């Protein structure tokens, strides 16, 4: 389907000019457009030049995609591939995710040699838990009250990691290959090393590593182990080889002994010792008690499709369901908006305003506080929210959000998360998003095992009334508590389409980038489902971001400068009251989509902003 009712020659020209203005040598994420051709009305009519695959992994690093493909080529399924890619990402994207972090995996199983009762979709939650010291007032009383960096740097920022438990749970229950086979590519990459790419060098040379140590020279000694491995004066150069023999030791132990090596064994002891040396006593039972959870996916219908998104403690599924619902609630009007027009952008922004206001007020870990999922996503509520969108203007902050009965920091560290999408030729699919929160997490590296520990505690409402590192203001429902999981934006999503009586995977998608995960994932979904834009182009399109608070609408330059009736998209939105900032998406989306032209094959896209590449056959 395509919606443009008039030729967009002028818009097309604007995109071409803006794209050709990008320096090819600029770092991948700031030269973020990557738009090689304009999103015109004819996108769906052109013969596809998009490569297609019978099985494929799209990760945000090509070597991680290849680790997954290696499993698929051995006859493994999408779960084997996703687990191999995830362990490889721990090595090749150590600033984004890894065995010191946590994640969410959406698994759609259509066929499995051991399992019956398929098809079935599982939302596997292996997000970090708060350790037992983390009481609700931990960050508002001395000594943490007086340390503004306590929730982002060092041992107090670290929650109990879930990645190893989650990946091995997925492998044992839904994969098909042995543990040592699936871990082999990651071990190889850690031992033999891999070349630093542009995104990696950007992070090490940027405000959050180089800049951080310039601003806080006293922390050089505190994070000496981090600096020895990841900031040694060599590993900030594109092409330099990064070897991680210590992390290889951890991965070998996990391959040999399974999750017990990490939760009740030598790696546990090393993590506890590392935290202790930085002033925090975490108990052995904090680790022994870690267990991943199987959740029921949130389900919503959109354009005759079944959209399976992640439930709380993710906020992503609810926000995505609400926004898709608001688009459907005024479908005939929305479908008259030109692609990438001021009207389409305004409607999406206002819908995001409502959904992010709800995120801020109502969402948290449902194991600890009531979360009104049904009320927030009910048809009546969605109709009410959609009806309150005024196409002529934006509104004051307090008018957004559900009517239920009952300045953020701009120094973003945007890449502390990674998403991969995988499909096999058996009909199975995995959308997997993992994180250590901000870039290089807490900067604490486990002595002897060389991996970075997360700083996921900052995703809690550590200081009520104050925004976190992503500028998110969150409710006291999201205060920390022992064993509680912080609210997340990770949104691994699988879309199923009924094709002649048989439901098939149509789209596997997700992103990194804090709250931008949600807006990036949504926009690629809309591009793919409504506008039929192939996966590799959908992930590269210019995007917007709005999260209700702060009241800023970020628009990537190619879209901001695109001409529309009466001005550019940015100038028209400015006149409607939006506080428009032209800036980068700070989000990387990976998507796999069933080819509309050959239903046995898939398109795949890794976001050019982060420099990833899919690998498939
Ligand atoms: N730490 C990013 C997220 O989970 O939203």
């Amino acid at each position: 389907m395509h919606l443009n009712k008039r030729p967009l020659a002028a818009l097309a020209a604007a995109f071409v000019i803006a794209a050709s203005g990008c320096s090819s040598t600029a770092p991948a994420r700031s030269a973020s457009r990557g738009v090689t051709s304009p999103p015109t009305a004819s996108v769906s009519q052109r013969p596809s030049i998009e490569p297609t695959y019978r099985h494929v992994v799209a990760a945000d690093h090509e070597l991680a995609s290849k680790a997954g493909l290696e499993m698929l080529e051995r006859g493994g399924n999408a779960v084997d591939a996703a687990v191999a890619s995830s362990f490889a990402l721990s090595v090749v994207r150590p600033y984004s995710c890894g065995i010191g972090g946590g994640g969410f995996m959406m698994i759609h199983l259509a066929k499995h040699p051991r399992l019956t009762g398929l098809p079935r979709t599982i939302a596997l939650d292996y997000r970090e838990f708060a350790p037992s010291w983390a009481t609700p007032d931990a960050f508002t009383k001395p000594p943490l009250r007086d340390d503004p960096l306590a929730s982002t740097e060092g041992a107090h920022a670290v929650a109990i990691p879930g990645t190893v438990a989650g990946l091995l749970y997925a492998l044992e229950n839904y994969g098909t290959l042995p543990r040592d086979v699936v871990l082999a590519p990651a071990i190889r990459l850690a031992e033999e090393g891999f070349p630093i790419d542009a995104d990696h060098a950007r992070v090490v040379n940027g405000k959050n590593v180089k800049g951080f140590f310039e601003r806080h020279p006293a922390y050089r000694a505190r994070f000496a182990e981090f600096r020895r491995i990841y900031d040694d004066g060599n590993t900030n150069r594109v092409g330099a080889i990064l070897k991680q023999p210590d992390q290889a030791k951890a991965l070998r132990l996990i391959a040999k002994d399974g999750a017990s090596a990490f939760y009740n064994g030598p790696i546990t002891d090393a993590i506890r010792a590392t935290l202790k040396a930085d002033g925090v006593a975490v108990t052995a039972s904090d680790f022994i008690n870690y267990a991943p959870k199987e959740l029921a996916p949130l389900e919503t219908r959109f354009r005759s499709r079944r959209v399976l998104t992640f439930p709380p403690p993710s906020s992503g599924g609810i926000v995505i369901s609400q926004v898709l619902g608001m688009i459907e609630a005024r479908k005939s009007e929305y479908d008259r908006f030109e692609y990438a027009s001021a009207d389409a952008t305004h409607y999406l922004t206002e819908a995001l305003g409502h959904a992010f206001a709800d995120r801020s007020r109502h969402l948290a870990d449902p194991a600890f506080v009531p979360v009104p999922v049904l009320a927030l996503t009910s048809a009546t509520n969605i109709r009410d929210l959609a009806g309150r969108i005024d196409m002529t203007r934006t509104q004051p902050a307090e008018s957004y959000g559900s009517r239920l009965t009952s300045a953020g920091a701009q120094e973003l560290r945007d890449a502390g998360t990674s998403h991969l999408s995988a499909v096999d030729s058996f009909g199975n699919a995995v959308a997997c998003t993992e994180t250590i929160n901000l870039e290089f997490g807490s900067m604490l590296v486990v002595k002897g095992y060389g991996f970075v520990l997360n700083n996921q505690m900052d995703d809690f409402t550590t200081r009520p009334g104050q925004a976190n590192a992503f500028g998110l203001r969150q409710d006291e429902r999201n205060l920390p508590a022992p064993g509680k999981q912080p609210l997340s934006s990770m949104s691994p999503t699988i879309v199923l389409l009924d094709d002649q009586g048989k439901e098939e995977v149509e789209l596997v998608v997700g992103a990194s980038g804090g709250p931008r995960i949600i807006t990036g994932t949504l926009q690629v979904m809309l591009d793919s489902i409504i506008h039929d834009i192939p996966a590799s182009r959908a992930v590269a399109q210019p995007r917007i971001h709005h999260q209700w608070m702060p009241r800023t609408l970020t628009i990537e330059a190619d879209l901001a400068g695109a001409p529309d009736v009466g001005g550019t998209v940015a100038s028209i939105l400015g006149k409607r009251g939006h506080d428009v900032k032209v800036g980068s998406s700070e989000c990387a989306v990976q998507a796999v989509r069933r080819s509309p032209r050959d239903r046995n094959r898939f398109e795949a896209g890794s976001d050019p902003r982060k420099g990833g590449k899919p690998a498939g056959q």
Side-chain angles (χ1 to χ4, degrees):
M1 185 195 306
H2 64 94
L3 303 173
N4 301 296
K5 304 293 187 272
R6 63 176 161 79
L8 287 181
L11 175 60
F15 273 84
V16 170
I17 289 163
S20 63
C22 290
S23 157
S24 60
T25 55
R29 301 190 73 188
S30 60
S32 56
R33 285 359 111 205
V35 179
T36 50
S37 58
T40 67
S42 58
V43 164
S44 62
Q45 297 160 342
R46 283 188 202 135
S48 176
I49 49 160
E50 181 89 355
T52 61
Y53 313 91
R54 78 194 152 83
H55 54 209
V56 64
V57 180
D60 64 17
H61 195 296
E62 187 180 12
L63 292 172
S65 299
K66 284 182 168 166
L69 178 61
E70 209 177 304
M71 302 303 120
L72 295 171
E73 293 285 283
R74 289 179 78 116
N77 70 8
V79 176
D80 299 313
V83 173
S85 287
S86 293
F87 277 119
L89 283 167
S90 185
V91 177
V92 298
R93 288 282 183 241
Y95 53 92
S96 297
C97 60
I99 60 177
F104 295 145
M105 187 184 286
M106 188 74 86
I107 302 170
H108 180 75
L109 281 182
K111 198 168 165 204
H112 191 282
R114 297 191 308 270
L115 300 175
T116 54
L118 305 180
R120 191 178 146 210
T121 311
I122 302 112
L124 183 64
D125 168 3
Y126 50 98
R127 184 142 172 90
E128 300 89 331
F129 288 93
S132 43
W133 63 262
T135 53
D137 59 354
F139 289 90
T140 52
K141 63 179 191 199
L144 301 189
R145 186 194 65 191
D146 307 318
D147 177 2
L149 298 183
S151 65
T152 51
E153 261 74 39
H156 284 107
V158 179
I160 306 302
T163 292
V164 172
L167 292 181
L168 295 187
Y169 180 96
L171 183 67
E172 279 152 26
N173 290 280
Y174 303 116
T176 62
L177 295 175
R179 197 164 61 219
D180 59 333
V181 169
V182 171
L183 271 134
I187 295 170
R188 200 171 61 228
L189 287 163
E191 280 174 350
E192 293 173 8
F194 68 97
I196 299 283
D197 69 1
D199 195 67
H200 193 133
R202 174 193 66 78
V203 171
V204 179
N205 292 321
K207 59 182 184 273
N208 301 314
V209 177
K210 185 165 183 280
F212 176 80
F213 288 114
E214 280 166 6
R215 290 192 302 278
H216 303 285
Y219 282 30
R220 286 167 188 262
R222 182 173 173 191
F223 298 120
E225 187 65 358
F226 167 82
R227 302 197 72 223
R228 182 181 73 80
I229 299 176
Y230 294 114
D231 183 24
D232 72 347
N234 176 45
T235 48
N236 63 349
R237 275 191 311 107
V238 173
I241 301 296
L242 174 60
K243 294 186 183 180
Q244 297 166 79
D246 288 352
Q247 184 167 180
K249 274 189 232 156
L251 294 168
R252 278 197 183 283
L253 274 175
I254 294 164
K256 180 164 83 62
D257 297 334
S260 65
F262 195 93
Y263 294 95
N264 192 13
I267 305 175
T268 331
D269 298 340
I271 299 173
R272 290 182 62 209
T274 300
L275 294 172
K276 189 85 199 301
D278 202 51
V280 176
V282 173
T283 65
S285 39
D286 281 332
F287 281 86
I288 292 168
N289 291 338
Y290 189 92
K293 300 185 208 173
E294 280 200 14
L295 307 173
L298 269 184
E299 221 180 287
T300 192
R301 291 207 71 88
F302 182 71
R303 309 275 158 138
S304 312
R305 282 133 175 114
R306 203 149 65 92
V307 178
L308 299 162
T309 60
F310 222 88
S314 170
S315 58
I318 291 182
V319 173
I320 287 172
S321 302
Q322 286 185 317
V323 173
L324 294 178
M326 283 182 255
I327 288 172
E328 284 308 76
R330 287 170 66 170
K331 178 173 186 296
S332 53
E333 186 183 353
Y334 184 88
D335 283 359
R336 284 197 300 274
F337 301 150
E338 301 287 350
Y339 180 79
S341 63
D343 279 341
T345 307
H346 177 81
Y347 193 88
L348 179 60
T349 303
E350 294 301 286
L352 287 167
H354 282 309
F356 269 94
D358 280 351
R359 181 196 193 283
S360 171
R361 293 181 187 129
H362 301 293
L363 303 190
D365 182 350
F368 282 73
V369 290
V371 177
V373 178
L374 292 178
L376 292 172
T377 55
S378 74
T380 318
N381 185 48
I382 300 289
R383 267 198 307 275
D384 178 59
L385 294 173
R388 285 158 50 202
I389 294 177
D390 180 344
M391 284 306 294
T392 66
R393 64 183 182 103
T394 190
Q395 302 181 43
E398 54 286 358
S399 21
Y400 291 89
S402 296
R403 297 188 277 210
L404 303 185
T405 48
S406 72
Q410 296 302 315
E411 280 280 289
L412 293 181
R413 297 160 62 169
D414 52 283
T417 302
S418 180
H419 173 83
L420 69 92
S421 295
V423 294
D424 60 30
S425 53
F426 313 116
N428 308 312
V430 172
C432 176
T433 314
E434 295 176 333
T435 185
I436 48 173
N437 196 25
L438 306 180
E439 285 168 354
F440 283 118
S442 64
M443 292 207 201
L444 270 186
V445 168
V446 178
K447 194 96 194 216
Y449 292 111
F451 61 90
V452 180
L453 290 166
N454 68 83
N455 60 352
Q456 220 65 248
M457 293 302 289
D458 193 59
D459 272 349
F460 281 115
T461 309
T462 51
R463 296 179 177 91
Q466 285 182 33
N468 73 0
F470 290 113
L472 288 167
R473 285 168 198 281
Q474 312 189 96
D475 192 71
E476 295 195 10
R477 290 166 197 246
N478 187 39
L479 282 169
K484 189 172 174 181
Q485 293 178 297
L487 186 60
S488 172
S489 296
M490 292 187 289
S491 312
T493 298
I494 294 180
V495 179
L496 304 175
L497 177 65
D498 198 322
D499 187 34
Q500 297 167 7
K502 186 169 163 245
E503 208 174 41
E504 289 182 328
V505 171
E506 186 189 45
L507 181 66
V508 186
V509 61
S512 56
R516 288 159 176 74
I517 290 172
I518 303 175
T519 47
T521 302
L522 249 170
Q523 287 167 85
V524 170
M525 289 174 73
L526 296 175
D527 281 358
S528 169
I529 296 172
I530 301 184
H531 301 285
D532 189 22
I533 297 179
S536 71
R537 284 203 238 162
V539 299
Q541 297 290 29
R543 293 195 281 262
I544 68 149
H545 177 71
H546 200 298
Q547 60 187 50
W548 177 58
M549 294 285 253
R551 306 287 303 138
T552 307
L553 168 59
T554 306
I555 311 185
E556 288 193 291
D558 296 349
L559 175 56
D564 199 341
V565 180
T568 61
V569 166
S571 69
I572 295 166
L573 291 168
K575 284 182 209 147
R576 291 186 199 179
H578 295 280
D579 174 16
V580 177
K581 179 180 136 205
V582 179
S584 105
S585 154
E586 299 189 23
C587 158
V589 186
Q590 274 62 246
V592 170
R593 182 176 92 135
R594 189 176 292 276
S595 165
R597 282 152 279 275
D598 179 350
R599 305 285 306 164
N600 293 316
R601 296 181 73 80
F602 294 89
E603 305 162 347
S606 292
D607 203 316
R609 294 165 182 82
K610 199 167 174 179
K613 273 203 184 119
Q617 281 293 326

